[in-house]
Amino acid sequence: MKKRRVPRMNEQESAAWLGLTTVFSLLPSALDRQLQRDSGLTHFEFVVLSTLQLSPEPTMRMTTLAQATDATLPRLSHVVGRLEKRRLVARSTCPEDRRATNVGLTGDGRRVLIRSVPGHIATARRLVIDALTPEQLDALTEITGAIGAKLAEESGDPPPESLSSPARKSSGPKTS
Amino acid sequence: MKKRRVPRMNEQESAAWLGLTTVFSLLPSALDRQLQRDSGLTHFEFVVLSTLQLSPEPTMRMTTLAQATDATLPRLSHVVGRLEKRRLVARSTCPEDRRATNVGLTGDGRRVLIRSVPGHIATARRLVIDALTPEQLDALTEITGAIGAKLAEESGDPPPESLSSPARKSSGPKTS
DNA sequence: ACCGTTTGGTTGACGCGACAAGTAATCGGT
DNA sequence: ACCGATTACTTGTCGCGTCAACCAAACGGT
């Protein structure tokens, strides 16, 4: 048991943390509700369909799709299964590697997605974008980027400069 | 169906939005994992215990606790039920209003909470606080505050000036 | 050519949260 | 004093995500 001495946060820090956790607990559900109500889609289903449509190829491998959407493979498998029952996507065994599965958007899927986009963007705008000044938008991009970097280096390997130093687990490079 | 004309986001906006959604999908689970691993607590259970301890009174009503933790009553009821089985909280019928239930921290609960705090703060620090400059912390506070305000006025009643107009349920105030 | 290993994905069981329905106590009107 | 309405919770059911176990195809060494 190493007491790391991280006693408590100062006021500035706890204000930011409190704000973050509050938004965390409220925003995702608000987003989900709107999408569910207007289009019958979960936010994650929306992300899956969007990712498929943005792909240059007409189909994607399950694993690739899972990585692109930050999902575990079982989760993706379940969701794709449901979407397939609703005829929004189609699965087919990859001919080159018969273990793999290719997923593609159906016509219905594309239509449903396209119809759901405006409402979703409108909600995003209403709840977030319109609430912020351009400077705050830039700040938000930087902030989320910084947090995202920490998260990436935490779980998994650090995307940048992974070949220079072999798996150092702690340390703060502090390249700011 | 009123086409609201919310065409698409410019690059600045979509960058911020993308960053936000990414952090959204990763940070909560990271937080939960750490807490679960080190203390056997869900993040929400942690919030419940913390709220109870911060309360000036030794016990809280279920409804009050639900509001304080942004939870629905059924959810809270389930969670408190589990926590009670683990002897971390205790329920008792309120003597003044026998419909109501008072929840209080037990000694075990207090101990578990206290032991879990440092690790949680350390994680918060590691993933978020340390990733940001003081200016970014302030910016984050403002940003989350602005979003939180939008969320509040969206679902439920707008916190400011609620007494001027009596409970209007539908309608779009459209005060933009 | 064969068998162990690794890769790619699916399936089943459990836990948690949302929603709806139910119960019990209190309030309020007549 | 009584009965409907409201309040404060609880309980049951369902959907989704996670974890573990599983199966099948491809690789790789000998």
Side-chain angles (χ1 to χ4, degrees), chain A residues 6-18:
Chain A
V6 192
R8 65 192 191 289
M9 298 187 183
N10 62 37
E11 198 156 301
Q12 184 192 29
E13 292 166 344
S14 52
W17 181 251
L18 177 63

Side-chain angles (χ1 to χ4, degrees), chain B residues 61-64 73-74 77-78 91 97 99-101:
Chain B
R61 296 269 258 266
M62 290 291 285
T63 304
T64 314
L73 210 40
S77 186
H78 281 138
R91 267 191 285 206
D97 184 345
R99 294 170 299 180
T101 307

Side-chain angles (χ1 to χ4, degrees), chain B residues 156-168:
Chain B
D157 39 23
E161 66 179 49
S162 63
L163 47 88
S164 60
S165 59
R168 177 138 7 129

Side-chain angles (χ1 to χ4, degrees), chain A residues 7-134:
Chain A
R8 65 192 191 289
M9 298 187 183
N10 62 37
E11 198 156 301
Q12 184 192 29
E13 292 166 344
S14 52
W17 181 251
L18 177 63
L20 195 59
T21 52
T22 303
V23 169
F24 261 35
S25 61
L26 298 183
L27 218 184
S29 55
L31 240 44
D32 252 340
R33 246 196 314 278
Q34 178 272 325
L35 219 39
Q36 186 74 47
R37 179 168 51 76
D38 294 353
S39 313
L41 290 176
T42 304
H43 182 250
F44 180 64
E45 291 172 338
F46 177 83
V47 169
V48 167
L49 296 182
S50 303
T51 305
L52 281 174
Q53 191 176 32
L54 290 182
S55 163
E57 312 292 329
T59 68
M60 273 177 101
R61 291 265 186 85
M62 290 292 284
T63 304
T64 313
L65 188 53
Q67 288 168 347
T69 57
D70 286 319
T72 62
L73 211 38
R75 179 183 184 186
L76 184 62
S77 187
H78 281 138
V79 170
V80 167
R82 288 171 226 141
L83 289 176
E84 191 178 33
K85 277 187 196 93
R86 294 163 64 185
R87 306 284 177 180
L88 301 184
V89 302
R91 269 193 283 208
S92 60
T93 309
C94 175
E96 305 154 6
D97 185 343
R98 297 174 41 75
R99 292 171 299 181
T101 306
N102 287 327
V103 199
L105 225 47
T106 64
D108 279 6
R110 188 167 282 107
R111 276 187 285 277
V112 167
L113 175 62
I114 289 176
R115 292 202 55 194
S116 74
V117 168
H120 183 59
I121 293 186
T123 306
R125 209 173 258 297
R126 193 159 25 88
L127 293 180
V128 179
I129 309 290
D130 287 352
L132 305 179
T133 66

